[in-house]
Amino acid sequence: MTQKWVGRFAPTPSGPLHFGSLVAALGSYLIARQRQGQWLLRIEDIDPPREMPGAAQDILSTLEAFGFEWDGPVTYQSQRTAAYEQALDLLHSKSLVYQCDCSRKIVIERNDGVYDKYCRNRDLIDIGDSAIRIKFDPTFAKFNDEIFGHCEFNQQVFCQDFVVRRRDGLFAYQLAVVVDDIDFGINHIVRGADILDSTPRQNFLYHCFDKSAPSYFHLPLVTDESGHKYSKSKFFPAVEPAKACEWILKAYIHLGQKPPETDQIDKPDELLNWAVSNFELNKISKQPIAYPTDRGGEITT
Ligand SMILES: [Zn+2]
């Protein structure tokens, strides 16, 4: 029996839906729908300081105006704390995590900002003011991506014992994402290549939870006109619901696809339906043209 395809789109409500997010929404939607799969929606509001009031609602109404239809209720990471606590307890019970009270400044002074496992064997007690790190296994530094092919990351930079609960008590993005994707049965992850270098850490977490990792499809990054990456979401233009078809077409072309030859399709839901039937996965760029190499990642295709 083939497994039912379950995909998702998981925007962070740090501002209105921008073009980079629209590309991820469209790519994940078309790939899932073409396989009669489910497409779930999750708001990644786990980091209150990064959020913009009203952005989550704004993103949802924009997606609706663009004709996207998601399956089931929208989930919010802010309501999933109990699940993350439970996951952290499990990691504790397997002795995979430890307390760390090193400040960022100290880690920079001691080892140029790369965490040196200093607290691994200090057996610090949790008194609520330290971070929790996981004992990362560097054999997870490589994985196969359905679009980028074989990806391998600089072990020094990407294979540190990473933080799963922050010093301020908030759960780290990596932990929350994996726990959510496991709990909601996500088996295919389609998202922007800006998260490519998080994948080794996430795959390690799947391993810690005795789950098999999903398959990954990382979509080409969006760059500005001169080929520079958009490093912060605030530089992305927000998409306009009044021009939904125009924006969908731009995102569709970014995914390497050929637009319809007719201009008769002028409603976003009709355009999406057309795109579901015409989308070709193998047209998506496999070249890491826009990948930010200054972050130490190395990709071979
Ligand atoms: Zn430490």
Side-chain angles (χ1 to χ4, degrees), residues 100-102 110 115 118-119:
C100 164
D101 62 359
C102 305
R110 212 166 52 213
Y115 190 68
Y118 182 79
C119 298

Side-chain angles (χ1 to χ4, degrees), residues 177-224:
V177 164
V178 172
V179 172
D180 287 342
D181 285 335
I182 289 173
D183 287 358
F184 291 91
I186 309 293
N187 48 29
H188 294 80
I189 293 181
V190 182
R191 60 187 179 189
D194 51 327
I195 313 178
L196 199 62
D197 59 25
S198 284
T199 311
R201 283 169 277 177
Q202 295 175 5
N203 279 343
F204 177 62
L205 284 169
Y206 279 96
H207 166 79
C208 295
F209 294 130
D210 292 318
K211 302 287 180 192
S212 47
S215 49
Y216 295 98
F217 300 72
H218 285 90
L219 304 172
L221 281 185
V222 183
T223 61
D224 65 13

Side-chain angles (χ1 to χ4, degrees), residues 13 15 31 65 72 116 136-137 141 154 156 158 169-170 207 216 220 237 263 266 274 276 280 293:
I31 296 174
D116 53 3
F136 189 55
D137 173 355
N154 178 312
Q156 242 237 322
F158 293 99
L170 293 175
H207 166 79
Y216 295 98
D263 53 8
D266 56 2
W274 177 90
V276 168
E280 292 177 77
T293 47

Side-chain angles (χ1 to χ4, degrees), residues 77-101:
Q77 288 190 326
S78 56
Q79 294 167 10
R80 301 256 310 138
T81 310
Y84 307 146
E85 303 262 11
Q86 208 178 6
L88 191 57
D89 287 346
L90 183 67
L91 297 175
H92 264 299
S93 70
K94 294 181 167 190
S95 301
L96 286 163
V97 289
Y98 61 92
Q99 304 288 322
C100 164
D101 62 359

